[in-house]
Amino acid sequence: QNPAVPAQEIDAYLGRLKVKGTFAATTVAVGVAPDEQGSFLAGTAANASGTIGKVVLQQVNTNSSDDPFGLFAQNAIQKLKVEKQKITPDYHHDNFYIEVLNQ
């Protein structure tokens, strides 16, 4: 019998995310839990760690939603390219956000 492991002891990892079309009104969160209102902007750590490896977004519709959306990781986003440009976490444009909680 395998006992359940508490989420606080699990390392969350998303190796690669590639969107060939348009990324819009979508949230990808790794190792991050939303706040009570469901927002990841004020999210908290949900796992021991949370890392996203490589992200390539061909195109982003930055105002496709009234609610904030984007990429959220607890510890790191290792490589990040949006619309053929390398960008760093803690980026936002209109309602599109890229954030790393623990830098």
Side-chain angles (χ1 to χ4, degrees):
Q1 184 175 7
N2 292 333
V5 177
Q8 296 85 350
E9 297 177 19
I10 297 174
D11 295 321
Y13 182 75
L14 173 63
R16 182 176 178 177
L17 174 67
K18 184 174 186 176
V19 177
K20 293 181 179 181
T22 301
F23 186 83
T26 301
T27 296
V28 175
V30 178
V32 180
D35 65 13
E36 291 179 3
Q37 288 75 37
S39 173
F40 287 93
L41 286 175
T44 58
N47 297 80
S49 70
T51 301
I52 300 175
K54 181 178 181 179
V55 176
V56 177
L57 303 177
Q58 182 177 342
Q59 184 176 0
V60 177
N61 185 346
T62 61
N63 57 12
S64 64
S65 174
D66 290 336
D67 296 320
F69 70 98
L71 307 170
F72 301 89
Q74 181 181 335
N75 298 94
I77 299 175
Q78 296 168 336
K79 292 183 181 180
L80 185 56
K81 191 178 273 190
V82 176
E83 297 179 350
K84 299 182 181 179
Q85 295 183 17
K86 290 183 181 179
I87 60 172
T88 58
D90 290 334
Y91 168 89
H92 99 272
H93 185 259
D94 296 330
N95 288 328
F96 175 63
Y97 289 81
I98 300 173
E99 290 197 2
V100 174
L101 263 58
N102 302 329
Q103 289 195 57

